[in-house]
């Protein structure tokens, strides 16, 4: 059997899918074998919750007196007891805990027990209710655990480690409807995140444009979405020459995939999500060198994230109308590949001089954006793309570049990003940057030179939407996958991150409040 015949997603062993239970019982009545306790550092010592200290007094005193655990950020210690709950895991939150230190603490604790013989674990949240909203704690707990347990090694390994952990009890005070809703919401969203990660992680010889279409059709069938797929012949008739040009060198023909979710009875569209779906980016004739070409299976992360968002929206049954667009192509050199200095007439009529065939993502996004803008006119259009190396130089691996002229949306995304662990930074789109895109022979060039490369790429995209206030561009090149340990987060292994599924799903939820 060849690699192309393996049904990757069908054979993926989903390990990180636990049973979650909310419990407000006293500690002696909770049936777990391992107890994880996030601990604040106070006066250079761990501040142990009274209920935990009463249950493990001798063990706690030994840990504190040893000086091995002070409750500092990323500190984890495992203590063993003859109590019914035999394994106590203390995870440091530091002196001034925030959402990120909480996620790091939970992930570090999960990593410490992932290969232990723990079956039923508990996460103690009672002591944190005065620091965080309880629903935020539940959201971040489930999302962090699920993302941490995602294992890219399950894709092809013939022998896999068996995860013994089956159940996680979230220990709270006085279970409420809000808590139950948060638990349901976070399990749905975390599943969508890992779904997107599996698509992004699958090698490009398998997850090519045709396979992306298959996955979109499966999603449509499962959740009752409408789907349209414009094949090469359709794209030629429509004048989608940006998508056609980029896909001209590939072995698999390009296509534009449209998914529609209707959550309310109206012909109007509330949101659109457009995802760059270059299933492999060799750079075209401007071939990428070794060291840059290696990870180009991740150039489909934008499309994978959009599929994840649609999955989450459908499972949450949100009362909104959402359309998604995935321009799916391979950017490869070949006898029919498009060439530097070609001029392309785009779907919206603008002509583009090709300054570099490796600036391909903006060309396929441009056609998809203008198609959505013209035919759906949504209230807001988001695009997600591993678009530029320049954004990695600017922001590193810890934030996505956010481009929009809508300051209100930018502020909302910034706040949500900090809360759920997908940070963004609002970048400028001043008129001076557009000067760099001028062409002597076409309406615009597709590149603007080395300075401000991420900004000029965004400026190029803005030419393909009719109202810039409705458009939000996220350059996720630095945050879409982890390589060589960056970003250094306890909840990420070297693999795709699914960045954007959490951010934009919670954005929709916030917008509906």
């Amino acid at each position: 059997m060849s690699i192309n015949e393996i049904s990757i997603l069908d054979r993926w062993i989903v390990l990180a899918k636990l049973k979650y239970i909310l419990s407000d019982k006293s500690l002696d009545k909770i049936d777990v074998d391992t107890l994880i306790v996030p601990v604040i550092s106070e006066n250079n010592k761990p501040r142990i919750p009274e209920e935990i200290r009463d249950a493990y007094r001798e063990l706690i005193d030994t840990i504190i007196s040893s000086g091995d655990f002070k409750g500092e950020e990323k500190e984890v210690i495992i203590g063993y007891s003859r109590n019914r709950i035999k394994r106590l895991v203390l995870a440091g939150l530091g002196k001034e805990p925030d959402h990120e230190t909480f996620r790091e603490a939970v992930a570090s604790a999960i990593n410490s027990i992932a290969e232990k013989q723990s079956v039923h674990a508990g996460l103690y949240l009672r002591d944190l209710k005065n620091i965080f909203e309880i629903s935020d704690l539940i959201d971040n707990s489930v999302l962090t655990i699920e993302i941490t347990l995602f294992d890219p090694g399950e894709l092809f390994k013939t022998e896999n480690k068996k995860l013994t952990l089956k159940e996680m009890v979230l220990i709270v005070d006085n279970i409420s409807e809000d808590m139950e809703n948060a638990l349901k919401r976070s399990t749905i969203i975390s599943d969508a995140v890992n779904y997107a990660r599996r698509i992004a992680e699958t090698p490009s010889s398998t997850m090519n444009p045709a396979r992306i279409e298959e996955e979109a059709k499966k999603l449509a069938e499962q959740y009752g979405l409408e789907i349209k797929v414009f094949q090469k012949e359709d794209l030629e008739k429509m004048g989608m020459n940006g998508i056609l040009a980029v896909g001209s060198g590939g072995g698999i023909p390009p296509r534009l995939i449209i998914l529609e979710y209707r959550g309310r009875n109206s012909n109007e569209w509330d949101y659109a999500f457009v995802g760059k779906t270059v299933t492999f980016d060799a750079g075209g004739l401007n071939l990428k060198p070794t060291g840059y070409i290696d990870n180009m299976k991740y150039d489909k992360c934008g499309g994978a994230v959009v599929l994840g968002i649609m999955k989450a929206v459908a499972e949450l049954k949100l009362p909104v109308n959402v359309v998604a667009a995935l321009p799916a192509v391979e950017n490869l050199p070949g006898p029919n590949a498009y060439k530097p200095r070609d001029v392309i007439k785009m779907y919206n009529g603008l002509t583009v001089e090709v300054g570099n065939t490796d600036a391909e993502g903006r060309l396929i996004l441009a056609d998809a954006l203008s198609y959505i803008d013209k035919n759906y006119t949504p209230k807001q259009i988001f695009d997600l793309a591993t678009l530029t190396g320049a954004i990695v130089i600017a922001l590193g691996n810890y934030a996505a570049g956010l481009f929009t002229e809508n300051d209100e949306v930018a502020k909302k995304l910034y706040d949500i990003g900090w809360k759920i662990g997908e940070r963004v930074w609002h970048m400028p789109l001043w008129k001076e940057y557009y000067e760099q895109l001028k062409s002597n022979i076409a309406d615009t060039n597709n590149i603007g030179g080395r300075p401000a490369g991420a900004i000029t790429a965004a400026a190029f995209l803005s030419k393909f939407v009719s109202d810039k206030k409705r458009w939000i561009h996220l350059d996720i090149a630095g945050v879409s996958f982890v390589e060589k340990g960056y970003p250094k987060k306890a909840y990420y292994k070297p693999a795709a991150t699914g960045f954007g599924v959490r951010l934009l799903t919670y954005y929709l939820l916030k917008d509906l409040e």
Side-chain angles (χ1 to χ4, degrees), residues 191-225:
D191 184 55
V193 172
N194 284 342
Y195 164 77
R197 295 171 85 187
R198 291 192 290 273
I199 291 174
E201 199 60 36
T202 303
S204 299
S205 293
T206 299
M207 195 57 73
N208 55 39
R211 182 59 188 274
I212 291 287
E213 178 185 336
E214 285 181 34
E215 294 304 326
K217 286 179 175 177
K218 286 182 189 176
L219 208 62
E221 184 177 357
Q222 184 176 358
Y223 296 107
L225 310 178

Side-chain angles (χ1 to χ4, degrees), residues 35-172:
L35 183 62
I36 298 170
V37 184
V39 175
I40 296 169
S41 180
E42 197 172 76
N43 299 322
N44 213 31
K45 291 183 179 180
R47 192 185 80 188
I48 308 296
E50 187 175 347
E51 186 180 17
I52 305 300
R53 180 179 281 277
D54 288 345
Y56 294 94
R57 187 166 298 276
E58 185 177 348
L59 177 58
I60 295 295
D61 288 345
T62 301
I63 290 173
I64 292 175
S65 64
S66 73
D68 290 344
F69 179 80
K70 298 177 181 179
E72 298 292 347
E73 292 180 28
K74 300 184 182 180
E75 279 189 339
V76 175
I77 194 166
I78 302 177
Y80 294 88
S81 167
R82 294 182 180 179
N83 290 12
R84 185 173 51 82
I85 303 175
K86 61 186 178 184
R87 190 182 290 109
L88 178 66
V89 184
L90 303 180
L93 290 168
K95 298 176 180 65
E96 297 179 358
D98 57 22
H99 292 290
E100 184 59 22
T101 56
F102 175 77
R103 284 187 290 268
E104 289 273 17
V106 171
S108 297
I110 290 295
N111 285 329
S112 75
I113 66 169
E115 296 181 25
K116 307 292 184 186
Q117 293 303 307
S118 174
V119 178
H120 305 286
L123 177 59
Y124 193 84
L125 301 177
R126 286 176 183 158
D127 195 48
L128 302 176
K129 63 185 178 183
N130 295 325
I131 302 174
F132 304 104
E133 292 286 338
I134 188 63
S135 60
D136 291 339
L137 278 175
I138 292 169
D139 278 339
N140 274 316
S141 295
V142 174
L143 286 162
T144 300
I145 293 166
E146 293 292 305
I147 289 168
T148 302
L149 290 175
F150 177 89
D151 186 357
E154 298 306 320
L155 193 56
F156 285 117
K157 287 183 179 179
T158 52
E159 292 185 11
N160 299 299
K161 294 175 182 177
K162 300 287 185 180
L163 186 71
T164 59
L165 192 59
K166 303 297 181 188
E167 183 177 274
M168 181 64 67
V169 180
L170 304 180
I171 302 168
V172 298

Side-chain angles (χ1 to χ4, degrees), residues 1-8 203-208 211:
M1 180 178 288
S2 72
I3 190 172
N4 291 327
E5 295 174 295
I6 299 173
S7 183
I8 297 296
S204 299
S205 293
T206 299
M207 195 57 73
N208 55 39
R211 182 59 188 274

Side-chain angles (χ1 to χ4, degrees), residues 314-471:
E315 284 200 24
L316 290 167
K317 297 182 172 63
L318 298 186
V320 291
N321 289 345
V322 182
V323 59
L326 285 80
V329 303
E330 297 176 315
N331 187 30
L332 302 177
N336 298 315
Y338 77 127
K339 302 167 181 66
R341 296 304 179 112
D342 278 354
V343 174
I344 303 167
K345 186 174 183 180
M346 306 294 284
Y347 175 78
N348 73 343
L350 282 178
T351 56
V352 177
E353 180 184 4
V354 179
N356 191 313
T357 62
D358 195 24
E360 85 299 330
R362 65 200 71 182
L363 293 174
I364 65 171
L365 286 173
D367 271 350
L369 283 168
S370 53
Y371 177 82
I372 291 294
D373 188 43
K374 177 181 177 180
N375 294 283
Y376 290 87
T377 320
K379 182 174 67 175
Q380 290 175 353
I381 305 175
F382 295 83
D383 79 73
L384 299 101
T386 48
L387 203 64
T388 67
I391 202 66
V392 187
I393 301 301
L395 299 176
N397 304 103
Y398 295 99
L402 167 64
F403 298 83
T404 183
E405 292 187 359
N406 190 322
D407 291 340
E408 182 182 347
V409 171
K411 177 65 165 60
K412 192 181 294 185
L413 286 169
Y414 177 87
D415 291 342
I416 292 168
W418 269 97
K419 183 175 284 191
I420 55 90
E422 293 192 336
R423 291 179 287 184
V424 298
W425 189 255
H426 194 182
M427 304 287 284
L429 268 175
W430 303 325
K431 63 181 182 180
E432 287 85 352
Y433 294 112
Y434 289 82
E435 295 292 316
Q436 294 176 222
L437 293 168
K438 285 187 174 179
S439 166
N440 293 328
I441 60 171
D443 295 322
T444 183
N445 205 302
N446 74 325
I447 58 170
R450 186 174 176 81
I455 299 173
T456 56
F460 175 86
L461 290 177
S462 74
K463 296 173 180 284
F464 297 88
V465 291
S466 58
D467 183 354
K468 294 177 189 176
K469 289 280 187 181
R470 294 191 292 114
W471 167 71

